[in-house]
Amino acid sequence: MRRCAQSGLELLTYVSFSLLIFSAFYLGILKKDINVINRQEEFRAAEISERIAFELSLAKSSGDGYSRNISLYENIYGQNYSIRIGIGMVLIDVENRTYSSHTISSNISGSILPGCNSISNVNDNVSIVQC
């Protein structure tokens, strides 16, 4: 007797079941990768906000005549971000999430943008301009 058709059906079932198992396994790995990317984004945004807060506090505490250029990342892992300076806070907005750091600075004029920025202290007023 010939069993060619039966063998082909068994092979097709085996391949289909194997692809189903592989897809479930791959989905689990992909979900874990997405969590890792979100954590990296969170750390990068926190790093940027801490650096800006430090630079503003340094400019304020150094006194009149302080000037320094700082460079910030153009994006956070391919996502654009915006920087807001509030009263005593630096806020980083990435998509629908916000990250913040505290700063002691007040009397701040200008805004910080991704890229090169110049921070200076003139007459106890910290000013920020794009390089």
Side-chain angles (χ1 to χ4, degrees):
M1 269 208 264
R2 297 184 66 185
R3 294 181 40 150
C4 291
Q6 183 68 28
S7 297
L9 185 59
E10 289 171 354
L11 179 63
L12 185 61
T13 304
Y14 174 74
V15 169
S16 299
F17 186 70
S18 297
L19 286 175
L20 183 66
I21 299 257
F22 175 74
S23 297
F25 181 71
Y26 183 72
L27 183 63
I29 291 174
L30 187 62
K31 204 179 258 189
K32 189 173 186 179
D33 285 346
I34 290 171
N35 289 337
V36 169
I37 290 170
N38 287 339
R39 293 291 292 169
Q40 286 177 337
E41 175 186 299
E42 181 181 324
F43 287 135
R44 176 71 53 91
E47 173 190 348
I48 292 170
S49 67
E50 289 290 331
R51 179 159 184 226
I52 294 169
F54 172 77
E55 292 291 341
L56 292 175
S57 297
L58 182 63
K60 187 70 170 176
S61 64
S62 294
D64 193 26
Y66 175 87
S67 180
R68 183 171 176 167
N69 292 339
I70 62 167
S71 293
L72 302 173
Y73 297 107
E74 293 292 330
N75 56 48
I76 298 176
Y77 296 108
Q79 297 182 32
N80 293 328
Y81 67 96
S82 63
I83 305 163
R84 295 181 289 148
I85 300 174
I87 298 173
M89 295 183 74
V90 175
L91 303 166
I92 305 290
D93 297 315
V94 183
E95 286 189 351
N96 58 355
R97 292 178 296 277
T98 301
Y99 305 94
S100 65
S101 292
H102 296 285
T103 182
I104 60 171
S105 296
S106 59
N107 297 334
I108 299 171
S109 61
S111 61
I112 295 183
L113 299 171
C116 184
N117 296 278
S118 178
I119 299 175
S120 60
N121 186 341
V122 178
N123 296 329
D124 207 31
N125 184 23
V126 177
S127 63
I128 305 163
V129 293
Q130 192 82 19
C131 299

